[in-house]
């Protein structure tokens, strides 16, 4: 199947919300090595609010739904994560305003818009050791199969997850160049970036959610 | 954790409630968005000067709301920039026909949240401008940095802009004041201990009993290096040199000199530091016409201090001398 | 020892030098006897109000020298009453035809040194009177005590007497003011950590990571009991009850409410404490017309706080509202 | 011999000054259990000044000499010790103004005047667990032999020292009632009083100085 329905999007958001809450302590821990140890709390405070408002969320379209998520994040999340995640959901939502299902092409465009929004907001580039180092490879994999006949969203998810996992190791030894981390300079070398780990963890939980076998390490 | 705290998640709201209770009639509190604001603002005749960054730096910034200084502040959680919506609501609440000036310390989280809020406020037709404060010389050399951090020097920007706004200055004029003060202020700090955000419950970094962090950031970010503890004078000498050489400050300059406590260092020690700083300033031929010794921008209960030098001209000197009445009072 | 200090033996003199440097023209320094005094005192038209006890309690007492408060202070070493001769020289230096008032915290060492100095000053024909401050309710029940300890409440006695002296009150009138304020002020403190006198280099007492000392003295003297750490509100409730029941304070009373930091506790936590204290005061029907939140009487870098309630009448309220300009300034 | 010369007094003061300096840390240690740990520093700061001014001291008479000691202490010693020790030397000096030698009767009167001065100054009584609990028994022993035919100062010193040593044990389990100690209340039980220990230590050093065999424990 290549169609992604509103129900799929809802399920996906519910899944990553659960990921954020389950890993609150762990994500703080990751942020404490080179950052200021609040990433887990910031992310969780946003997705906890999402869960609280869950019933009341606007479900008239995928876009309306994502924009609401963006607003909840902007309202509850401080630090760098608020603007980054809020911007991402806003940009993605803007492109799916009155759609109740989207294709991989749409998803490609939405991810690209989200990435551009994050870059405009925070000025980070690929290789700056931020969650973009996970998001961009994910988008590229979606892009490759977008429009390809017989492309399967579940297969795309599997390969994208592998790419996200890979990003953790690949960026581990880079120097963080954004957020509070940047001030640590070289001290950030060797510690994984919390944002990248968060994206990868969410991707793996999405695999479980959609019954896709988690990719083995380095499978691609 | 040796702290006076109830539910750590409520630490900031309860602090703000305390500030409101201590300033009834003068200051108001909007609990939904962590906003403390002047009861007599916004005013159609005055630009509103506002601020909002992570908590844990008190009296910066929320305790400097009051006549002659900030008109409002919307702090986030401890060490976390306020959510975009807090910033937006703070701008809206202080919207004045003369405009709104947002003073932002140079941290990515603070900048991104305020930038988004400002874009949205402008979309709503609000006349709002922002200014970035970056006085910390400690990390100037980290090439890829988004720039220097904003630390205790922000006090002077807030004080000068607050005084000018009180006198009816325009938004453009205030931006010039902020620019001038920020261009002439330099700071650097030293930490003797770590500190513990209530929600974290553990120190944000480890440091040995005989160690100090030279050039520490106000969120405990590492500075220039970890070193063995030194005598007070040697510590002052190092940060005085770093700060004074940066502008540079020159013989004959009229300056304001601040020794800022990071929260856990008592007044007695701050004056031991001030003694040496004043001697060094004299040695350099600086004319210290205003001095500030106390807690101005803290890192929770961190034991440590920072030194700030501000080069004065008639206008700034006059604005610093203007009266102000804020939450933090000795009387 | 995580302190800014050079030679520990010089800690107090170097602090005093720092105070003098920060107040050039306004305050003078007599290094032989640790005396910081107003450049414009003694005056033949004003009674001189002076104080002198152990150091380590800054801003009490030496940093409160200035127009509207103390005319001079002659502190001893950290936590040690000043030698008799320091006291005597301070009295002589501030000798005024209108007389000299010595405010003494109720500790045996302080009393004995000042008593001797006063006897000698009188022998030299100086008109000097003393008043003993004892506001701490924590140890009221230790039968054999020479009485309650003097703690943060001394701020109000110094402030009221300083303001009255500035207005030309006579020595007799000042004694009445001191008596009235002391009779209506009550305090009690809680320590979360110990503190380390520079010369000692070790904490003056041991306390567990999960313990607090309820009713601690400002020299780390034990209080009522050692207890497990409690939430901020529970701590305030206990000391508020002890303090308010002591006078007792009654519904309708106009009061000043102070949350005093013991040195290592940051402003954020003090306002969390003030929040509850203000709520309790309202609950009791007290009318808090003046509040004070900050470091007024510290125990070096001890983490902890004390609560002080002062019952006001028109005269005291008016004296507390009078301006004062002292070493410790926010501006 | 029953005569005590100015030279003896000088030697005695030099001895106790040395005792105070040798034991600075130890006396602080003792004061830290129930007090504020400054006793050793306070005492030493006074006797250090005595040693520094030693050559210049007025030696025209025993009284003049003791009064000078009193002034130096009042100038340099804070806390309770300044007034207590300063008063003691002043009172003793006042009774030996123009004497270059004194008898045991004189010493008895001088000690009594010193004790009365301390009590007037600080209001402590026998049994309040202060140095008076050592000074008073010492005075009593001097008093007994004062004027007795054949009384020997060196024998008196020996017995007085024994009494001082005894005072430490006898008062150990009392509750301190003066000085900072008082605030500790019951917590002072079981710890010896620093002032009493200081007096006893000085007495033992005086025995050594004057070639008197230190008394065996509980000898009297
Ligand atoms: N400019 C940026 N662009 C993209 N992602 C960023 C940027 N700055 C930080 N991040 C991501 O956010 C994470 C940190 O988030 P958080 O801890 O909430 O922010 P803060 O640094 O303000 O405490 C980092 O691990 C990184 O992946
Ligand atoms: N009122 C008093 N009368 C006699 N001796 C006293 C009195 N108060 C204290 N002392 C003695 O002084 C000693 C403590 O001296 P010190 O530590 O210098 O004083 P402080 O208690 O002010 O720190 C005690 O051990 C006790 O023997
Ligand atoms: Mg972070
Ligand atoms: Mg943060
Ligand atoms: Mg003492
Ligand atoms: Mg003592």
């Amino acid at each position: 199947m290549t169609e992604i329905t509103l129900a799929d999007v809802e399920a996906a958001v519910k899944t990553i919300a659960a990921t954020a809450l389950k890993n609150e302590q762990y994500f703080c821990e990751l942020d404490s090595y080179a950052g200021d140890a609040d990433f887990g709390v910031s992310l969780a405070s946003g997705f906890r609010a999402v869960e609280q408002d869950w019933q009341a969320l606007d479900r008239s379209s995928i876009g309306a739904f994502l924009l609401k998520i963006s607003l909840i994040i902007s309202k509850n999340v401080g630090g760098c994560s608020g603007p980054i995640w809020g911007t991402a959901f806003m940009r993605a939502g803007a492109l799916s305003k009155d759609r109740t299902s989207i294709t991989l092409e749409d998803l490609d465009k939405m991810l690209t818009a989200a990435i551009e929004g994050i870059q405009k907001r925070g000025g980070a580039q690929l290789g700056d050791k931020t969650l973009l180092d996970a998001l961009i490879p994910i988008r590229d994999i979606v892009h490759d199969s977008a429009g390809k006949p017989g492309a399967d969203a579940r297969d795309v998810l599997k390969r994208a997850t592998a790419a996200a996992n890979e990003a953790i190791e690949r960026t581990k030894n880079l120097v963080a160049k954004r957020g509070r981390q940047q001030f640590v300079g070289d001290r950030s070398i060797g510690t994984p970036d919390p944002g990248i780990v968060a994206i990868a963890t969410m991707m793996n939980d999405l695999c479980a959610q959609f019954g896709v076998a988690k990719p083995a390490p380095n499978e691609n | 954790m040796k702290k006076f705290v109830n539910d750590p998640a409520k630490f900031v709201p309860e602090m703000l409630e305390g500030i409101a209770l201590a300033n009834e009639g003068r200051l108001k509190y909007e609990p939904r968005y962590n906003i403390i604001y002047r009861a007599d603002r916004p005013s159609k005749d005055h630009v509103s000067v506002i601020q909002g960054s992570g908590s844990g730096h008190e009296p910066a910034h929320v305790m400097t709301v009051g006549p002659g200084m900030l008109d409002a502040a919307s702090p986030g959680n401890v060490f976390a920039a306020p959510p975009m919506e807090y910033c937006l609501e703070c701008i809206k609440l202080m919207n004045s026909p003369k405009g709104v000036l947002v003073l932002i310390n140079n941290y990515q989280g603070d900048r991104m949240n305020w930038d988004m809020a400002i874009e949205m406020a402008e979309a709503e037709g609000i006349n709002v401008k922002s200014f970035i404060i970056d006085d910390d010389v400690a990390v100037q050399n980290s090439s890829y940095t988004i720039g220097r951090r904003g630390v205790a020097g922000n006090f002077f920007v807030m004080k000068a802009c607050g005084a000018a706004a009180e006198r009816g200055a325009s938004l453009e004029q205030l931006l010039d004041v902020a620019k001038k003060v920020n261009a002439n202020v330099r700071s650097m700090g030293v930490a003797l201990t770590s500190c513990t955000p209530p929600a974290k419950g553990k120190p944000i970094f480890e440091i040995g009993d005989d160690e100090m962090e030279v050039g520490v950031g106000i969120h405990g970010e590492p500075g220039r290096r970890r070193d063995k503890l030194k005598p007070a004078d040697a510590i002052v000498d190092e940060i005085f040199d770093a700060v004074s050489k940066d502008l540079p400050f020159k013989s004959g300059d009229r300056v304001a000199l601040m020794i800022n406590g990071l929260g856990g260092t008592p007044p007695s020690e701050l004056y031991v530091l001030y003694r040496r700083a004043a001697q060094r300033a004299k040695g350099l031929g600086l004319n210290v016409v205003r001095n500030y010794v106390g807690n101005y921008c803290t890192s929770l209960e961190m034991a440590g201090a920072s030194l700030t030098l501000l080069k004065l001209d008639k206008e700034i000197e006059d604005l610093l001398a203007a009266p102000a009445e804020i939450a933090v009072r000795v009387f």
Side-chain angles (χ1 to χ4, degrees), chain A, chain B:
Chain A
M1 63 102 177
T2 61
E3 281 268 303
I4 300 167
T5 67
L6 173 55
D8 295 330
V9 174
E10 282 188 48
V13 170
K14 207 171 178 45
T15 302
I16 66 174
T19 308
L21 298 189
K22 265 204 319 279
N23 296 281
E24 178 167 0
Q25 282 310 317
Y26 173 53
F27 290 163
C28 278
E29 179 86 28
L30 290 174
D31 191 29
S32 71
Y33 302 138
D36 58 356
D38 61 355
F39 178 59
V41 171
S42 294
L43 213 57
S45 58
F47 284 106
R48 190 170 291 115
V50 167
E51 286 205 340
Q52 275 155 9
D53 300 5
W54 190 253
Q55 296 314 328
L57 293 178
D58 180 343
R59 289 174 168 78
S60 58
S61 74
I62 292 177
F65 181 75
L66 294 177
L67 287 174
K68 194 78 191 66
I69 302 295
S70 167
L71 284 181
I72 293 174
I73 288 172
S74 301
K75 179 174 189 151
N76 294 282
V77 184
C80 283
S81 291
I84 289 160
W85 294 68
T87 299
F89 280 98
M90 187 182 305
R91 293 301 192 95
L95 290 186
S96 51
K97 271 256 175 43
D98 30 35
R99 310 281 300 281
T100 52
S101 81
I102 53 174
T103 64
L104 283 175
E105 287 93 329
D106 299 320
L107 183 60
D108 176 22
K109 294 202 190 66
M110 288 161 68
L111 284 170
T112 301
I115 288 163
E116 285 168 359
I118 292 172
Q119 290 185 313
K120 172 173 175 301
R121 180 61 57 208
Q125 302 303 325
L126 189 68
D128 282 356
K129 197 171 184 176
T130 73
L131 47 74
L132 288 172
D133 291 346
L135 273 186
I136 292 173
I138 289 173
R139 189 272 321 270
D140 293 345
I141 284 168
V142 173
H143 183 77
D144 293 343
S145 26
K148 290 241 177 73
D152 172 30
R154 314 168 87 268
D155 165 60
V156 169
L157 173 58
K158 181 173 178 177
R159 286 187 291 118
T161 303
N165 290 339
E166 216 181 81
I168 299 174
E169 283 313 310
R170 192 178 60 250
T171 58
K172 199 175 191 153
N173 293 317
L174 297 179
V175 178
K177 301 194 178 180
R178 292 293 162 190
R180 288 262 153 78
Q181 279 80 351
Q182 69 171 314
F183 295 122
V184 191
D186 299 351
R187 298 195 199 184
S188 67
I189 292 175
T191 67
D193 176 70
I196 296 173
V197 174
I199 298 288
T201 312
M202 289 171 172
M203 292 298 284
N204 286 291
D205 290 353
L206 285 171
C207 288
Q209 166 66 25
F210 292 104
V212 175
K214 276 210 193 101
N218 303 332
E219 175 180 353
N220 210 348
Chain B
M1 175 170 58
K2 288 287 180 120
K3 285 189 177 303
F4 293 112
V5 54
N6 296 303
D7 173 358
K10 294 208 184 74
F11 184 72
V12 170
E14 290 185 344
M15 167 186 78
L16 298 177
E17 218 179 312
I19 295 171
L21 284 164
N23 294 274
E24 281 176 339
R26 291 182 295 273
L27 303 182
K28 287 189 177 164
Y29 173 39
E30 169 47 79
R32 282 177 305 165
Y33 309 109
N34 281 8
I35 303 173
I36 290 283
Y37 62 105
R38 282 175 63 176
D40 57 349
R41 288 291 185 273
S43 137
K44 64 171 182 38
D45 306 320
H46 301 85
V47 174
S48 296
V49 181
I50 68 177
Q51 220 277 6
S53 46
S55 291
H57 307 304
E58 296 68 25
H61 306 84
V62 67
M63 293 178 193
T64 64
V65 174
M69 228 160 142
L70 293 180
D71 295 301
S74 57
N77 279 331
V78 171
F79 292 173
M84 183 279 282
E85 194 179 28
Y86 290 21
C87 305
L88 178 57
E89 294 298 330
C90 190
I91 294 170
K92 286 187 188 169
L93 191 64
M94 287 295 110
N95 184 10
S96 153
K98 288 201 71 170
V100 179
L101 173 64
V102 184
L103 297 176
I104 305 171
N105 290 330
N106 192 28
Y107 297 98
Q108 184 126 34
D110 300 72
R111 290 182 65 158
M112 291 196 288
N113 283 284
W114 280 107
D115 287 351
M116 283 176 82
I118 288 167
E119 282 171 32
M120 299 204 176
E122 282 169 336
E124 297 185 29
I126 298 178
N127 175 20
V128 51
K129 296 253 171 301
S130 67
F131 183 82
I132 308 290
I133 301 165
D134 58 350
D135 57 308
D136 189 344
V137 305
V139 294
Q140 61 186 325
N141 297 326
S142 38
S143 52
Y144 48 71
T145 180
I146 54 160
R148 294 171 161 182
R149 303 173 296 208
V151 291
N154 61 22
F155 171 85
F156 294 107
V157 181
M158 295 188 288
K159 178 67 179 71
C161 289
E166 200 68 31
R167 296 175 181 180
S170 71
L171 186 50
E172 287 314 316
Q173 291 170 318
L174 288 183
L175 279 167
D176 291 340
V177 168
K179 203 154 145 200
K180 195 204 286 181
V181 174
N182 187 63
N184 287 286
V185 68
R186 296 292 187 274
S187 307
M188 184 159 143
V190 173
L192 304 189
T193 69
S194 184
C195 63
T196 300
K200 184 161 190 246
K202 298 195 259 76
I204 52 176
F205 62 86
E206 294 303 321
I207 182 164
D209 287 345
D210 59 346
E211 291 182 322
M212 62 178 176
E213 179 72 29
V214 180
V216 71
I218 57 174
H219 311 91
E221 306 97 315
R224 291 184 172 183
R225 71 174 195 288
R226 188 61 65 90
D227 200 350
K228 292 277 167 238
L229 260 176
K230 294 213 176 81
D233 288 356
I235 293 171
V236 170
D237 286 345
E238 173 166 5
I239 56 179
F240 183 88
D241 287 337
V243 166
S244 60
K245 290 197 175 106
D246 190 86
L247 191 54
F249 289 83
K250 290 183 298 333
S251 179
D253 286 348
R254 291 173 72 82
V255 300
L257 172 58
M258 170 188 281
I259 294 294
N260 168 60
L262 293 182
T265 290
S268 49
E269 292 177 47
L270 295 180
Y271 276 91
V272 168
L273 296 176
Y274 183 79
R275 166 185 163 276
R276 181 62 168 193
Q279 290 171 346
R280 290 300 314 279
K282 283 191 180 172
L284 200 60
L286 303 182
N287 182 4
V288 180
V289 292
R290 295 191 68 84
N291 65 77
Y292 303 77
V293 186
N295 291 345
Y296 291 88
C297 188
T298 60
S299 302
L300 295 170
E301 80 288 5
M302 181 182 289
S306 64
L307 183 151
T308 298
L309 271 174
L310 166 64
K311 183 174 174 176
L312 302 168
D313 65 6
K314 252 213 86 340
E315 181 189 24
I316 302 176
E317 202 171 323
D318 175 53
L319 291 170
L320 293 185
E325 190 197 314
I326 63 175
V328 193
R329 296 179 302 276
V330 176
F331 300 95

